C-alpha cells in the first residue's frame, strides 16, 4: 500500500436506454478504466461507487491517477458477469417452444416443496 493511491468512481444511474454497469462490478473482479485493466477493491451498491488501487508501477504507466474529480472515464466491465447473467436468464426463462425450462421447473418445484413443508402452501 505504501506508494499506492486509491481511486473511487461513481457509476451513473441506469436508464432504460443505458442500464447501470454496477451489477457487473464485484470486489476482486476486473474492470477496464480508460483501457487499463484493474482489480476492483471496493463496491457500494447503495452509493453506486466502486474503487481501484494503483500501485506505484502502474501509476508510472497510465494517466488515470491524473484525472480530476468529475472527469469522465471509459468503463468496460468483465464479460464473465454478462455471460453468467445471460445464461441464467435463458435457463430461468421459457423455452422457444413455449414450455418452461428444466431449471425453472426445478426451482418452482423446490420452492413449492419448501412452502408445503412449512405449511404455507
Amino acid at each position: 500500500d505504501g506508494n499506492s493511491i486509491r481511486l473511487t468512481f461513481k457509476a451513473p444511474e441506469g436508464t432504460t436506454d443505458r442500464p447501470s454497469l454496477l451489477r457487473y462490478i464485484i470486489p476482486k473482479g476486473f474492470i477496464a478504466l480508460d483501457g487499463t485493466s484493474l482489480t476492483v477493491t471496493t463496491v457500494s451498491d447503495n452509493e453506486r461507487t466502486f474503487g481501484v488501487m494503483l500501485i506505484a508501477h502502474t501509476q508510472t504507466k497510465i494517466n488515470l491517477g491524473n484525472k480530476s474529480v468529475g472527469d469522465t472515464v471509459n468503463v468496460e466491465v468483465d464479460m464473465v458477469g454478462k455471460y453468467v447473467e445471460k445464461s441464467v436468464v435463458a435457463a430461468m426463462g421459457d423455452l422457444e417452444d413455449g414450455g418452461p425450462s428444466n431449471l425453472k421447473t426445478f426451482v418452482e418445484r423446490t420452492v413449492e416443496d419448501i412452502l408445503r413443508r412449512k405449511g404455507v402452501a
Side-chain angles (χ1 to χ4, degrees), residues 81-107:
K82 291 181 176 183
Y83 290 134
V84 169
E85 179 184 54
K86 187 173 184 174
S87 296
V88 169
V89 167
M92 293 298 293
D94 291 338
L95 299 175
E96 289 180 17
D97 67 4
S101 70
N102 290 335
L103 181 57
K104 183 175 181 180
T105 300
F106 171 76
V107 170

PDB file of all heavy atoms in Angstrom, residues 81-107:
ATOM      1  N   GLY A  81     -19.416 -11.749 -16.016  1.00  0.00           N
ATOM      2  CA  GLY A  81     -20.696 -11.432 -15.383  1.00  0.00           C
ATOM      3  C   GLY A  81     -21.829 -11.362 -16.385  1.00  0.00           C
ATOM      4  O   GLY A  81     -22.943 -11.820 -16.132  1.00  0.00           O
ATOM      5  N   LYS A  82     -21.552 -10.808 -17.546  1.00  0.00           N
ATOM      6  CA  LYS A  82     -22.574 -10.719 -18.587  1.00  0.00           C
ATOM      7  C   LYS A  82     -22.935 -12.104 -19.118  1.00  0.00           C
ATOM      8  O   LYS A  82     -24.100 -12.391 -19.392  1.00  0.00           O
ATOM      9  CB  LYS A  82     -22.093  -9.824 -19.724  1.00  0.00           C
ATOM     10  CG  LYS A  82     -21.995  -8.361 -19.324  1.00  0.00           C
ATOM     11  CD  LYS A  82     -21.541  -7.515 -20.490  1.00  0.00           C
ATOM     12  CE  LYS A  82     -21.531  -6.051 -20.128  1.00  0.00           C
ATOM     13  NZ  LYS A  82     -21.151  -5.209 -21.268  1.00  0.00           N
ATOM     14  N   TYR A  83     -21.934 -12.972 -19.275  1.00  0.00           N
ATOM     15  CA  TYR A  83     -22.201 -14.338 -19.733  1.00  0.00           C
ATOM     16  C   TYR A  83     -23.047 -15.098 -18.715  1.00  0.00           C
ATOM     17  O   TYR A  83     -23.988 -15.799 -19.073  1.00  0.00           O
ATOM     18  CB  TYR A  83     -20.904 -15.110 -19.986  1.00  0.00           C
ATOM     19  CG  TYR A  83     -20.131 -14.635 -21.190  1.00  0.00           C
ATOM     20  CD1 TYR A  83     -18.771 -14.425 -21.116  1.00  0.00           C
ATOM     21  CD2 TYR A  83     -20.764 -14.394 -22.408  1.00  0.00           C
ATOM     22  CE1 TYR A  83     -18.049 -13.991 -22.220  1.00  0.00           C
ATOM     23  CE2 TYR A  83     -20.057 -13.959 -23.516  1.00  0.00           C
ATOM     24  CZ  TYR A  83     -18.693 -13.768 -23.410  1.00  0.00           C
ATOM     25  OH  TYR A  83     -17.994 -13.333 -24.498  1.00  0.00           O
ATOM     26  N   VAL A  84     -22.708 -14.960 -17.432  1.00  0.00           N
ATOM     27  CA  VAL A  84     -23.464 -15.639 -16.379  1.00  0.00           C
ATOM     28  C   VAL A  84     -24.906 -15.143 -16.376  1.00  0.00           C
ATOM     29  O   VAL A  84     -25.849 -15.939 -16.333  1.00  0.00           O
ATOM     30  CB  VAL A  84     -22.802 -15.437 -15.001  1.00  0.00           C
ATOM     31  CG1 VAL A  84     -23.717 -15.913 -13.875  1.00  0.00           C
ATOM     32  CG2 VAL A  84     -21.456 -16.141 -14.941  1.00  0.00           C
ATOM     33  N   GLU A  85     -25.084 -13.835 -16.429  1.00  0.00           N
ATOM     34  CA  GLU A  85     -26.429 -13.275 -16.427  1.00  0.00           C
ATOM     35  C   GLU A  85     -27.249 -13.790 -17.610  1.00  0.00           C
ATOM     36  O   GLU A  85     -28.394 -14.218 -17.453  1.00  0.00           O
ATOM     37  CB  GLU A  85     -26.368 -11.752 -16.475  1.00  0.00           C
ATOM     38  CG  GLU A  85     -27.748 -11.104 -16.499  1.00  0.00           C
ATOM     39  CD  GLU A  85     -27.677  -9.604 -16.638  1.00  0.00           C
ATOM     40  OE1 GLU A  85     -27.036  -9.112 -17.591  1.00  0.00           O
ATOM     41  OE2 GLU A  85     -28.276  -8.929 -15.794  1.00  0.00           O
ATOM     42  N   LYS A  86     -26.660 -13.786 -18.774  1.00  0.00           N
ATOM     43  CA  LYS A  86     -27.372 -14.242 -19.966  1.00  0.00           C
ATOM     44  C   LYS A  86     -27.750 -15.717 -19.854  1.00  0.00           C
ATOM     45  O   LYS A  86     -28.857 -16.119 -20.218  1.00  0.00           O
ATOM     46  CB  LYS A  86     -26.521 -14.005 -21.212  1.00  0.00           C
ATOM     47  CG  LYS A  86     -27.246 -14.299 -22.498  1.00  0.00           C
ATOM     48  CD  LYS A  86     -26.432 -13.879 -23.707  1.00  0.00           C
ATOM     49  CE  LYS A  86     -27.243 -14.108 -24.970  1.00  0.00           C
ATOM     50  NZ  LYS A  86     -26.556 -13.595 -26.148  1.00  0.00           N
ATOM     51  N   SER A  87     -26.837 -16.528 -19.322  1.00  0.00           N
ATOM     52  CA  SER A  87     -27.107 -17.957 -19.167  1.00  0.00           C
ATOM     53  C   SER A  87     -28.211 -18.219 -18.155  1.00  0.00           C
ATOM     54  O   SER A  87     -29.091 -19.051 -18.380  1.00  0.00           O
ATOM     55  CB  SER A  87     -25.832 -18.685 -18.729  1.00  0.00           C
ATOM     56  OG  SER A  87     -24.851 -18.596 -19.726  1.00  0.00           O
ATOM     57  N   VAL A  88     -28.170 -17.499 -17.036  1.00  0.00           N
ATOM     58  CA  VAL A  88     -29.193 -17.694 -16.001  1.00  0.00           C
ATOM     59  C   VAL A  88     -30.553 -17.234 -16.509  1.00  0.00           C
ATOM     60  O   VAL A  88     -31.559 -17.916 -16.316  1.00  0.00           O
ATOM     61  CB  VAL A  88     -28.807 -16.961 -14.697  1.00  0.00           C
ATOM     62  CG1 VAL A  88     -29.975 -16.920 -13.721  1.00  0.00           C
ATOM     63  CG2 VAL A  88     -27.598 -17.625 -14.059  1.00  0.00           C
ATOM     64  N   VAL A  89     -30.592 -16.092 -17.172  1.00  0.00           N
ATOM     65  CA  VAL A  89     -31.865 -15.596 -17.715  1.00  0.00           C
ATOM     66  C   VAL A  89     -32.427 -16.601 -18.713  1.00  0.00           C
ATOM     67  O   VAL A  89     -33.617 -16.918 -18.696  1.00  0.00           O
ATOM     68  CB  VAL A  89     -31.678 -14.204 -18.368  1.00  0.00           C
ATOM     69  CG1 VAL A  89     -32.885 -13.827 -19.201  1.00  0.00           C
ATOM     70  CG2 VAL A  89     -31.426 -13.167 -17.292  1.00  0.00           C
ATOM     71  N   ALA A  90     -31.561 -17.138 -19.574  1.00  0.00           N
ATOM     72  CA  ALA A  90     -32.023 -18.128 -20.549  1.00  0.00           C
ATOM     73  C   ALA A  90     -32.512 -19.397 -19.859  1.00  0.00           C
ATOM     74  O   ALA A  90     -33.533 -19.968 -20.235  1.00  0.00           O
ATOM     75  CB  ALA A  90     -30.902 -18.461 -21.530  1.00  0.00           C
ATOM     76  N   ALA A  91     -31.800 -19.831 -18.824  1.00  0.00           N
ATOM     77  CA  ALA A  91     -32.181 -21.056 -18.119  1.00  0.00           C
ATOM     78  C   ALA A  91     -33.469 -20.875 -17.327  1.00  0.00           C
ATOM     79  O   ALA A  91     -34.263 -21.808 -17.208  1.00  0.00           O
ATOM     80  CB  ALA A  91     -31.057 -21.505 -17.183  1.00  0.00           C
ATOM     81  N   MET A  92     -33.694 -19.694 -16.785  1.00  0.00           N
ATOM     82  CA  MET A  92     -34.885 -19.452 -15.979  1.00  0.00           C
ATOM     83  C   MET A  92     -36.098 -19.082 -16.830  1.00  0.00           C
ATOM     84  O   MET A  92     -37.225 -19.161 -16.375  1.00  0.00           O
ATOM     85  CB  MET A  92     -34.624 -18.319 -14.975  1.00  0.00           C
ATOM     86  CG  MET A  92     -33.614 -18.671 -13.913  1.00  0.00           C
ATOM     87  SD  MET A  92     -34.116 -20.050 -12.889  1.00  0.00           S
ATOM     88  CE  MET A  92     -35.502 -19.359 -12.028  1.00  0.00           C
ATOM     89  N   GLY A  93     -35.865 -18.672 -18.059  1.00  0.00           N
ATOM     90  CA  GLY A  93     -36.963 -18.247 -18.922  1.00  0.00           C
ATOM     91  C   GLY A  93     -37.635 -19.422 -19.583  1.00  0.00           C
ATOM     92  O   GLY A  93     -37.252 -20.578 -19.426  1.00  0.00           O
ATOM     93  N   ASP A  94     -38.674 -19.126 -20.320  1.00  0.00           N
ATOM     94  CA  ASP A  94     -39.378 -20.165 -21.063  1.00  0.00           C
ATOM     95  C   ASP A  94     -38.573 -20.539 -22.304  1.00  0.00           C
ATOM     96  O   ASP A  94     -37.865 -19.723 -22.882  1.00  0.00           O
ATOM     97  CB  ASP A  94     -40.767 -19.683 -21.476  1.00  0.00           C
ATOM     98  CG  ASP A  94     -41.671 -19.524 -20.276  1.00  0.00           C
ATOM     99  OD1 ASP A  94     -41.393 -20.147 -19.241  1.00  0.00           O
ATOM    100  OD2 ASP A  94     -42.653 -18.772 -20.378  1.00  0.00           O
ATOM    101  N   LEU A  95     -38.706 -21.777 -22.704  1.00  0.00           N
ATOM    102  CA  LEU A  95     -38.035 -22.234 -23.908  1.00  0.00           C
ATOM    103  C   LEU A  95     -38.758 -21.713 -25.136  1.00  0.00           C
ATOM    104  O   LEU A  95     -39.902 -21.256 -25.063  1.00  0.00           O
ATOM    105  CB  LEU A  95     -38.000 -23.766 -23.927  1.00  0.00           C
ATOM    106  CG  LEU A  95     -37.244 -24.412 -22.755  1.00  0.00           C
ATOM    107  CD1 LEU A  95     -37.378 -25.928 -22.831  1.00  0.00           C
ATOM    108  CD2 LEU A  95     -35.784 -24.024 -22.788  1.00  0.00           C
ATOM    109  N   GLU A  96     -38.084 -21.770 -26.276  1.00  0.00           N
ATOM    110  CA  GLU A  96     -38.673 -21.242 -27.503  1.00  0.00           C
ATOM    111  C   GLU A  96     -39.972 -21.948 -27.881  1.00  0.00           C
ATOM    112  O   GLU A  96     -40.833 -21.364 -28.506  1.00  0.00           O
ATOM    113  CB  GLU A  96     -37.659 -21.350 -28.650  1.00  0.00           C
ATOM    114  CG  GLU A  96     -36.502 -20.372 -28.492  1.00  0.00           C
ATOM    115  CD  GLU A  96     -35.503 -20.472 -29.623  1.00  0.00           C
ATOM    116  OE1 GLU A  96     -35.832 -21.043 -30.677  1.00  0.00           O
ATOM    117  OE2 GLU A  96     -34.386 -19.968 -29.454  1.00  0.00           O
ATOM    118  N   ASP A  97     -40.129 -23.209 -27.475  1.00  0.00           N
ATOM    119  CA  ASP A  97     -41.355 -23.936 -27.831  1.00  0.00           C
ATOM    120  C   ASP A  97     -42.525 -23.590 -26.906  1.00  0.00           C
ATOM    121  O   ASP A  97     -43.598 -24.163 -27.014  1.00  0.00           O
ATOM    122  CB  ASP A  97     -41.101 -25.444 -27.842  1.00  0.00           C
ATOM    123  CG  ASP A  97     -40.793 -26.010 -26.459  1.00  0.00           C
ATOM    124  OD1 ASP A  97     -40.841 -25.257 -25.458  1.00  0.00           O
ATOM    125  OD2 ASP A  97     -40.494 -27.219 -26.379  1.00  0.00           O
ATOM    126  N   GLY A  98     -42.287 -22.654 -25.982  1.00  0.00           N
ATOM    127  CA  GLY A  98     -43.362 -22.208 -25.105  1.00  0.00           C
ATOM    128  C   GLY A  98     -43.406 -22.919 -23.761  1.00  0.00           C
ATOM    129  O   GLY A  98     -44.106 -22.499 -22.866  1.00  0.00           O
ATOM    130  N   GLY A  99     -42.644 -23.995 -23.606  1.00  0.00           N
ATOM    131  CA  GLY A  99     -42.630 -24.713 -22.336  1.00  0.00           C
ATOM    132  C   GLY A  99     -41.578 -24.162 -21.392  1.00  0.00           C
ATOM    133  O   GLY A  99     -40.650 -23.486 -21.817  1.00  0.00           O
ATOM    134  N   PRO A 100     -41.743 -24.420 -20.095  1.00  0.00           N
ATOM    135  CA  PRO A 100     -40.763 -23.924 -19.118  1.00  0.00           C
ATOM    136  C   PRO A 100     -39.443 -24.681 -19.243  1.00  0.00           C
ATOM    137  O   PRO A 100     -39.417 -25.839 -19.648  1.00  0.00           O
ATOM    138  CB  PRO A 100     -41.435 -24.184 -17.773  1.00  0.00           C
ATOM    139  CG  PRO A 100     -42.380 -25.307 -18.038  1.00  0.00           C
ATOM    140  CD  PRO A 100     -42.812 -25.171 -19.471  1.00  0.00           C
ATOM    141  N   SER A 101     -38.354 -24.021 -18.870  1.00  0.00           N
ATOM    142  CA  SER A 101     -37.047 -24.665 -18.903  1.00  0.00           C
ATOM    143  C   SER A 101     -36.936 -25.654 -17.745  1.00  0.00           C
ATOM    144  O   SER A 101     -37.674 -25.587 -16.767  1.00  0.00           O
ATOM    145  CB  SER A 101     -35.939 -23.626 -18.791  1.00  0.00           C
ATOM    146  OG  SER A 101     -35.924 -23.071 -17.487  1.00  0.00           O
ATOM    147  N   ASN A 102     -35.991 -26.579 -17.842  1.00  0.00           N
ATOM    148  CA  ASN A 102     -35.773 -27.553 -16.778  1.00  0.00           C
ATOM    149  C   ASN A 102     -35.381 -26.874 -15.475  1.00  0.00           C
ATOM    150  O   ASN A 102     -35.845 -27.255 -14.405  1.00  0.00           O
ATOM    151  CB  ASN A 102     -34.691 -28.553 -17.188  1.00  0.00           C
ATOM    152  CG  ASN A 102     -35.154 -29.481 -18.280  1.00  0.00           C
ATOM    153  OD1 ASN A 102     -36.356 -29.712 -18.436  1.00  0.00           O
ATOM    154  ND2 ASN A 102     -34.227 -30.011 -19.050  1.00  0.00           N
ATOM    155  N   LEU A 103     -34.519 -25.856 -15.559  1.00  0.00           N
ATOM    156  CA  LEU A 103     -34.076 -25.166 -14.347  1.00  0.00           C
ATOM    157  C   LEU A 103     -35.241 -24.434 -13.692  1.00  0.00           C
ATOM    158  O   LEU A 103     -35.415 -24.482 -12.477  1.00  0.00           O
ATOM    159  CB  LEU A 103     -32.936 -24.196 -14.667  1.00  0.00           C
ATOM    160  CG  LEU A 103     -32.361 -23.428 -13.480  1.00  0.00           C
ATOM    161  CD1 LEU A 103     -31.854 -24.380 -12.401  1.00  0.00           C
ATOM    162  CD2 LEU A 103     -31.250 -22.506 -13.940  1.00  0.00           C
ATOM    163  N   LYS A 104     -36.050 -23.771 -14.498  1.00  0.00           N
ATOM    164  CA  LYS A 104     -37.197 -23.046 -13.948  1.00  0.00           C
ATOM    165  C   LYS A 104     -38.158 -24.021 -13.270  1.00  0.00           C
ATOM    166  O   LYS A 104     -38.633 -23.767 -12.159  1.00  0.00           O
ATOM    167  CB  LYS A 104     -37.918 -22.272 -15.056  1.00  0.00           C
ATOM    168  CG  LYS A 104     -39.074 -21.437 -14.550  1.00  0.00           C
ATOM    169  CD  LYS A 104     -39.681 -20.606 -15.663  1.00  0.00           C
ATOM    170  CE  LYS A 104     -40.817 -19.752 -15.131  1.00  0.00           C
ATOM    171  NZ  LYS A 104     -41.417 -18.937 -16.187  1.00  0.00           N
ATOM    172  N   THR A 105     -38.427 -25.142 -13.893  1.00  0.00           N
ATOM    173  CA  THR A 105     -39.309 -26.157 -13.316  1.00  0.00           C
ATOM    174  C   THR A 105     -38.731 -26.682 -12.009  1.00  0.00           C
ATOM    175  O   THR A 105     -39.439 -26.835 -11.010  1.00  0.00           O
ATOM    176  CB  THR A 105     -39.517 -27.314 -14.312  1.00  0.00           C
ATOM    177  OG1 THR A 105     -40.097 -26.780 -15.499  1.00  0.00           O
ATOM    178  CG2 THR A 105     -40.430 -28.383 -13.737  1.00  0.00           C
ATOM    179  N   PHE A 106     -37.431 -26.937 -11.981  1.00  0.00           N
ATOM    180  CA  PHE A 106     -36.766 -27.426 -10.770  1.00  0.00           C
ATOM    181  C   PHE A 106     -36.904 -26.417  -9.632  1.00  0.00           C
ATOM    182  O   PHE A 106     -37.245 -26.788  -8.499  1.00  0.00           O
ATOM    183  CB  PHE A 106     -35.287 -27.719 -11.049  1.00  0.00           C
ATOM    184  CG  PHE A 106     -34.494 -28.012  -9.821  1.00  0.00           C
ATOM    185  CD1 PHE A 106     -34.599 -29.245  -9.197  1.00  0.00           C
ATOM    186  CD2 PHE A 106     -33.651 -27.061  -9.281  1.00  0.00           C
ATOM    187  CE1 PHE A 106     -33.879 -29.529  -8.054  1.00  0.00           C
ATOM    188  CE2 PHE A 106     -32.933 -27.334  -8.137  1.00  0.00           C
ATOM    189  CZ  PHE A 106     -33.040 -28.569  -7.512  1.00  0.00           C
ATOM    190  N   VAL A 107     -36.645 -25.143  -9.909  1.00  0.00           N
ATOM    191  CA  VAL A 107     -36.732 -24.112  -8.873  1.00  0.00           C
ATOM    192  C   VAL A 107     -38.164 -23.998  -8.370  1.00  0.00           C
ATOM    193  O   VAL A 107     -38.401 -23.921  -7.157  1.00  0.00           O
ATOM    194  CB  VAL A 107     -36.209 -22.757  -9.396  1.00  0.00           C
ATOM    195  CG1 VAL A 107     -36.526 -21.635  -8.420  1.00  0.00           C
ATOM    196  CG2 VAL A 107     -34.711 -22.827  -9.670  1.00  0.00           C
TER     197      VAL A 107
END
